[in-house]
Amino acid sequence: MSDNILPRGDLTVRTIAMPADTNANGDIFGGWVMAHMDQAGGIAGVERARGRVVTIAVEAMTFIRAMRVGDVLEVYTEVESVGRTSMKIHIEAWAQRFQTQPSRQGDGRDFHLCPHRRRRPPEPIPPI
Amino acid sequence: MSDNILPRGDLTVRTIAMPADTNANGDIFGGWVMAHMDQAGGIAGVERARGRVVTIAVEAMTFIRAMRVGDVLEVYTEVESVGRTSMKIHIEAWAQRFQTQPSRQGDGRDFHLCPHRRRRPPEPIPPI
Amino acid sequence: MSDNILPRGDLTVRTIAMPADTNANGDIFGGWVMAHMDQAGGIAGVERARGRVVTIAVEAMTFIRAMRVGDVLEVYTEVESVGRTSMKIHIEAWAQRFQTQPSRQGDGRDFHLCPHRRRRPPEPIPPI
Amino acid sequence: MSDNILPRGDLTVRTIAMPADTNANGDIFGGWVMAHMDQAGGIAGVERARGRVVTIAVEAMTFIRAMRVGDVLEVYTEVESVGRTSMKIHIEAWAQRFQTQPSRQGDGRDFHLCPHRRRRPPEPIPPI
Amino acid sequence: MSDNILPRGDLTVRTIAMPADTNANGDIFGGWVMAHMDQAGGIAGVERARGRVVTIAVEAMTFIRAMRVGDVLEVYTEVESVGRTSMKIHIEAWAQRFQTQPSRQGDGRDFHLCPHRRRRPPEPIPPI
Amino acid sequence: MSDNILPRGDLTVRTIAMPADTNANGDIFGGWVMAHMDQAGGIAGVERARGRVVTIAVEAMTFIRAMRVGDVLEVYTEVESVGRTSMKIHIEAWAQRFQTQPSRQGDGRDFHLCPHRRRRPPEPIPPI
C-alpha cells in the first residue's frame, strides 16, 4: 500500500501511543490499536443509530507495521451500509510517526454493530 | 452455537472483567476482549516461534453476547499452521457468567503472527 | 459562551470518556481532561519544534460543564507564538454529549512548552 | 522450592506481565502480583460461596524471584476449608519466564474470604 | 526558587511515579501530575464543603523540572478563601527525587471548586 | 481495633479510591489496597537502604472493612528492624470515609524487603 492513499471516512479517534501501551517487544501492543478501533466504531455507530450500539462482528484486520511510542494513532470511520437492525462501519487506523513525514496507513476493515438492547430483540435503526 | 461445544486449544489467558473495563453501556468494552485475544495470541506465538512475535493480521471475529462485570474471560489458543516465516493461530474467547451455569462460547477466529524483527527480514520459525 | 462559537486550531486529540475515567461524583474526572490537554499540547509542540518538548507552564483553565460517560472529548491546538527556546500553544477542550446536539465548548487556555533537553540548555526551536 | 513441584489447585488467573506493570527497578511491580492473587481468590470464592465474597485476611506471602516483562503469571487456587461464614483458599502464583523452559516457581499462602454483605451480618456459605 | 522553601498547606496526596506514567520522552507525563493535583483539590474541597465538589477553574501552573520514574510526588493543599458558592484552594506539587537529597518544589497555583449539583443551582458552602 | 488508635509510622502514600478501582461488588478491589501497601513499602525501603529494594515476603494482612469510592487511603510505614541484607517494614493502611468523621481503620502487617540486585548476591544495607 502506497503512502499517498488518503484515509477514508471521518477522523473519529486521535491519540498518542505512550510507554504504558507497549508490549514485551517495546512496540505498541496490537490490542491497544484494536481497542481504539472498536471505540471509534462505537462512537460512529452511536451517531448513526442515535442510541447505544454493540459490536457483533469484525471482519479481517491487517497490521502493516508496528506502532512505536510517540506515534499518533488516527482512526477513521465511515458508515458503509445500514440494515434494518444492524449496520456495517468501515474503520481504518493510521499512524503518524513521531518527528517524521506525514501519516501512513495502518490497516482497514469493517465492523458490524447493532443497537444495544439488554434481553430484548434488536431495535430498528432510525432512517437519516 | 450450542453451549455444549467445548473450547478448542489450550487455556492461555484467564481473567475477570472489572468495572474499569466497561463501556458507556455498562457492558464490558469489546476492545478489552480483543486486546486479551491479541495478548493470548502473542503468548502462544512466542512459545511456538521461540522468540518474540508480532500480529500481522486477524481474521473475522464474532461476539455472541456482551460480557458483564464479574464474568470470567477465558481465551484458548491453538497453533493451526506454521509457514516458513509466519504462523496461524486459532483463538477463541469464552465467558463464564458470574454465579450461573458453566462457560459458553464467545467467539472464534484466527490470528496471523510472524517473528518480530526490527528493520530486518522476517526470521524463519524453528521446527518443533 | 454561546454554542455557535467554533473551536480554534486543529483537532489534535479525540477520544471517548469511559466509566474508568469517572470520579467519585460519577462525572468524568477533571484531571482526565487536563491530562488529554497536556497530551495534545505535546503532540502539537513536537510537530512545530521538530523534536521532543516538555510543558513548562499552563495558563488559566476554565471548566464550563462536567463531562459524562459517553461524551466525546475533542482537544484543539494552535501554535500561538514561537520564541527562541519556547513556544506558546493555545489549547481548547470541547465535549460532544452522547446522543444529543452538536459539540459545545469546554474551556480554553494556553500551554507553554520548550524543547526537551536533559541536563543541557534549551535548544532553539527551528524556523518553519 | 524445587522446579519439579507441581502447582496445587486449579488454574484461576493467567496473564502476561506488560511494561505498564513494571516498577522503578524495571521488574514487575510486586503489588501487581498481589492484586492478581486477590482477584483469583475472589473468582474461586464466588464459585464456592455461590455469591459475592470479600477478602478479610491474607496469610504470609513469599516472593521467590522477581517477575520480568513478558513472563506469564499463573495463579492457582484451592478451597482449603469452609467454615459457617468464611472460607480459606490456598493461592499460589507461578511465573513462566519468556522464551525459556517451563521452569516456574512463585509463592504460596492462604487467603480468607467471607460472603459479601453490606451492613448485614455475614451470610452462611451454602453446602456443596 | 530555592530548595529551602517549605511546602504550604497539608499533605493531601502522596504517590510514586511508575514507568506506566511516563511520556514518549521517558519522563513522567505532565498530565499525570496535573491529574493528581486535581485529585488533591477534590479531596481538600470535599472536606471543607462537606459534600462533593467540582473543579471549575485552574489558575496558572508552572513546572520547574521534569519528574522521573521513582520520584515521589507530594501534593499540598490549603483552602485559601471561601465564597458563598465556591472556594479557592492553593495547590502545590513537590517531587522527591529517588535516592537523593530532600524534596524540592515542583509548582504552585490555585484551583477553584464549587459544590457539585447536577442541573441545580450551586449550593452554599457551609460555615466552619 | 478501636478508632482512637493512632496510625504507626510515617505517612508514605495517600490517595483517593476512584470508580476505576472497584471490583464486581462495587467496593474497592482488595488488590488495589495491597498494591498501594507494596508501593509504600518500596518507598520506605529505598529511603532506608539508599538504593532500590524488592519485596521478598509479606506477613499476614487483615482487612477490617471494605473501602468505597471516594474514601481516602493512607498508608503508614515504619522500618521495624534492619538485618545485614534485608529489612522488615511495618505497614498500615487506613481509610478515611468520604464526608464523614475522621473514623479510620485498616490493617497492619510487616513486609520484608531486600536490596535489589539482578543475578548478584544481595548487597548489605548501609548503616544509618
Side-chain angles (χ1 to χ4, degrees):
Chain A
M1 252 167 271
S2 142
D3 278 2
N4 55 10
I5 291 173
L6 290 180
R8 175 176 152 207
D10 299 313
L11 178 56
T12 308
V13 161
R14 192 172 199 270
T15 192
I16 190 169
M18 304 277 279
D21 307 318
T22 52
N23 60 18
N25 295 342
D27 289 325
I28 294 305
F29 174 44
W32 180 82
V33 179
M34 292 181 204
H36 279 90
M37 296 180 76
D38 185 56
Q39 205 172 54
I43 294 173
V46 159
E47 280 167 16
R48 180 58 192 82
R50 292 186 220 137
R52 299 175 184 273
V53 294
V54 59
T55 304
I56 52 175
V58 178
E59 292 183 14
M61 307 193 213
T62 316
F63 297 94
I64 314 289
R65 62 191 76 172
M67 286 189 69
R68 306 225 191 104
V69 168
D71 285 2
V72 174
L73 174 73
E74 294 187 335
V75 187
Y76 292 84
T77 60
E78 190 177 65
V79 177
E80 190 121 318
S81 61
V82 178
R84 211 186 63 85
T85 61
S86 75
M87 77 187 94
K88 192 167 154 182
I89 297 179
H90 178 80
I91 300 180
E92 290 184 4
W94 288 62
Q96 184 164 1
R97 183 120 307 165
F98 175 68
Q99 255 181 280
T100 64
Q101 57 278 61
S103 70
R104 20 199 172 173
Q105 185 164 18
D107 53 331
R109 98 254 16 210
D110 294 336
F111 280 58
H112 294 256
L113 298 99
C114 73
H116 174 261
R117 284 294 169 275
R118 287 220 167 168
R119 287 171 237 270
R120 275 180 293 157
E123 182 163 283
I125 295 172
I128 296 178
Chain B
M1 253 168 270
S2 142
D3 279 2
N4 56 9
I5 291 174
L6 289 181
R8 175 176 151 208
D10 298 314
L11 178 56
T12 308
V13 161
R14 193 173 200 270
T15 192
I16 190 170
M18 304 277 280
D21 308 318
T22 52
N23 60 18
N25 295 342
D27 289 323
I28 294 306
F29 174 43
W32 180 84
V33 178
M34 292 181 204
H36 279 90
M37 296 180 75
D38 185 56
Q39 205 172 54
I43 294 172
V46 159
E47 279 167 15
R48 179 59 191 81
R50 292 186 220 136
R52 299 175 184 272
V53 294
V54 59
T55 304
I56 51 174
V58 178
E59 293 183 14
M61 307 193 213
T62 317
F63 297 94
I64 315 288
R65 62 190 77 172
M67 286 189 68
R68 307 226 189 103
V69 168
D71 285 2
V72 173
L73 174 73
E74 293 187 335
V75 187
Y76 292 84
T77 60
E78 191 177 65
V79 176
E80 189 121 318
S81 62
V82 177
R84 212 185 64 83
T85 61
S86 75
M87 76 187 95
K88 191 167 155 182
I89 297 179
H90 178 81
I91 300 180
E92 291 184 3
W94 288 62
Q96 184 164 2
R97 183 120 308 165
F98 176 67
Q99 258 181 275
T100 63
Q101 59 278 60
S103 69
R104 22 200 170 171
Q105 185 164 19
D107 54 331
R109 98 255 15 209
D110 294 335
F111 280 58
H112 295 256
L113 299 98
C114 73
H116 174 261
R117 284 296 169 272
R118 287 220 169 168
R119 284 171 240 269
R120 276 182 291 158
E123 182 163 282
I125 295 172
I128 297 178
Chain C
M1 251 168 271
S2 141
D3 279 4
N4 56 10
I5 291 173
L6 289 181
R8 174 176 153 208
D10 298 315
L11 178 56
T12 308
V13 161
R14 192 172 200 270
T15 192
I16 189 169
M18 304 276 280
D21 308 318
T22 53
N23 60 18
N25 296 342
D27 289 325
I28 294 307
F29 174 44
W32 180 83
V33 178
M34 292 180 204
H36 279 89
M37 296 180 76
D38 185 57
Q39 204 172 55
I43 294 173
V46 159
E47 280 167 15
R48 178 60 192 81
R50 291 186 222 137
R52 299 176 184 272
V53 294
V54 59
T55 304
I56 52 175
V58 178
E59 293 182 13
M61 307 194 214
T62 317
F63 297 94
I64 315 289
R65 63 190 75 170
M67 286 189 68
R68 307 226 190 102
V69 168
D71 285 3
V72 174
L73 174 72
E74 293 187 337
V75 187
Y76 292 84
T77 61
E78 190 178 65
V79 177
E80 189 121 318
S81 61
V82 178
R84 210 185 64 84
T85 62
S86 75
M87 76 187 95
K88 192 167 155 182
I89 297 179
H90 178 80
I91 300 180
E92 291 184 3
W94 289 61
Q96 184 164 2
R97 183 117 310 163
F98 175 67
Q99 258 181 274
T100 63
Q101 59 277 61
S103 68
R104 22 200 169 173
Q105 185 164 19
D107 54 332
R109 99 257 10 215
D110 293 335
F111 279 58
H112 295 255
L113 297 100
C114 74
H116 174 261
R117 282 297 169 272
R118 287 218 168 170
R119 287 170 237 269
R120 275 181 291 159
E123 180 162 284
I125 295 172
I128 295 177
Chain D
M1 247 173 273
S2 140
D3 280 4
N4 55 10
I5 291 173
L6 290 181
R8 174 175 153 209
D10 299 314
L11 178 57
T12 308
V13 161
R14 193 172 199 270
T15 192
I16 189 168
M18 304 277 280
D21 307 318
T22 53
N23 60 17
N25 296 343
D27 290 324
I28 294 306
F29 174 43
W32 180 82
V33 179
M34 293 181 203
H36 280 89
M37 296 180 76
D38 185 57
Q39 204 172 56
I43 294 173
V46 158
E47 280 168 15
R48 179 58 192 82
R50 292 186 221 137
R52 300 175 182 273
V53 295
V54 59
T55 304
I56 52 175
V58 178
E59 293 182 13
M61 307 193 215
T62 317
F63 296 95
I64 316 288
R65 64 187 76 164
M67 287 188 69
R68 306 225 191 103
V69 169
D71 285 2
V72 173
L73 174 72
E74 293 187 337
V75 188
Y76 292 82
T77 61
E78 191 177 64
V79 176
E80 190 122 318
S81 62
V82 178
R84 211 185 64 84
T85 61
S86 75
M87 76 187 95
K88 191 168 156 183
I89 297 179
H90 178 80
I91 300 180
E92 291 184 5
W94 288 62
Q96 184 165 1
R97 182 118 311 161
F98 175 67
Q99 256 181 277
T100 63
Q101 57 276 64
S103 83
R104 22 197 170 174
Q105 183 177 20
D107 54 330
R109 99 257 9 215
D110 294 335
F111 280 58
H112 294 256
L113 298 99
C114 73
H116 174 263
R117 284 294 169 274
R118 288 220 167 169
R119 288 169 235 270
R120 276 180 291 157
E123 180 162 285
I125 294 172
I128 295 177
Chain E
M1 254 166 272
S2 142
D3 279 3
N4 55 8
I5 291 173
L6 290 180
R8 174 176 154 208
D10 299 314
L11 178 55
T12 308
V13 160
R14 193 172 199 269
T15 191
I16 190 170
M18 304 277 280
D21 307 318
T22 52
N23 60 18
N25 295 343
D27 290 324
I28 294 305
F29 174 44
W32 180 83
V33 179
M34 293 180 202
H36 279 90
M37 297 180 76
D38 185 56
Q39 204 172 56
I43 294 173
V46 158
E47 279 166 17
R48 179 59 192 79
R50 290 186 223 137
R52 300 175 183 273
V53 295
V54 59
T55 304
I56 52 175
V58 178
E59 294 183 12
M61 307 192 213
T62 317
F63 297 94
I64 315 288
R65 61 191 76 171
M67 286 189 68
R68 306 226 191 104
V69 168
D71 285 3
V72 174
L73 174 72
E74 293 187 337
V75 187
Y76 292 84
T77 60
E78 191 177 65
V79 176
E80 190 122 319
S81 61
V82 177
R84 212 185 63 83
T85 60
S86 75
M87 77 186 93
K88 191 168 155 182
I89 297 178
H90 178 80
I91 299 180
E92 290 184 5
W94 287 62
Q96 184 165 0
R97 180 117 313 161
F98 176 67
Q99 259 180 275
T100 64
Q101 59 276 59
S103 69
R104 20 197 169 175
Q105 186 165 16
D107 54 329
R109 99 254 14 208
D110 294 335
F111 279 59
H112 295 256
L113 298 98
C114 74
H116 174 261
R117 283 297 169 272
R118 287 220 168 170
R119 283 170 240 270
R120 275 181 292 157
E123 181 162 284
I125 294 173
I128 294 177
Chain F
M1 250 172 274
S2 141
D3 279 4
N4 55 9
I5 292 174
L6 290 180
R8 175 176 153 207
D10 298 314
L11 178 56
T12 308
V13 161
R14 193 173 199 269
T15 192
I16 190 170
M18 304 277 280
D21 308 317
T22 53
N23 60 17
N25 295 343
D27 289 324
I28 294 305
F29 174 43
W32 180 83
V33 178
M34 293 181 204
H36 279 89
M37 296 180 77
D38 185 57
Q39 204 173 55
I43 294 173
V46 159
E47 279 167 16
R48 179 60 192 80
R50 291 185 221 137
R52 300 176 183 272
V53 295
V54 60
T55 304
I56 52 175
V58 177
E59 292 183 13
M61 306 193 214
T62 317
F63 297 94
I64 315 290
R65 63 187 76 163
M67 287 190 66
R68 306 225 191 104
V69 168
D71 285 2
V72 173
L73 173 73
E74 292 187 336
V75 187
Y76 292 83
T77 61
E78 191 177 64
V79 176
E80 190 122 318
S81 61
V82 177
R84 210 185 65 83
T85 61
S86 74
M87 76 186 94
K88 192 168 155 182
I89 297 179
H90 178 81
I91 300 180
E92 290 184 5
W94 288 62
Q96 185 165 0
R97 181 117 313 161
F98 175 68
Q99 257 181 276
T100 63
Q101 57 278 61
S103 84
R104 21 196 173 174
Q105 183 177 19
D107 54 330
R109 98 256 11 214
D110 294 335
F111 280 58
H112 295 256
L113 298 98
C114 73
H116 174 261
R117 283 297 168 274
R118 287 218 169 170
R119 285 170 240 269
R120 276 181 291 158
E123 181 161 284
I125 295 173
I128 294 177

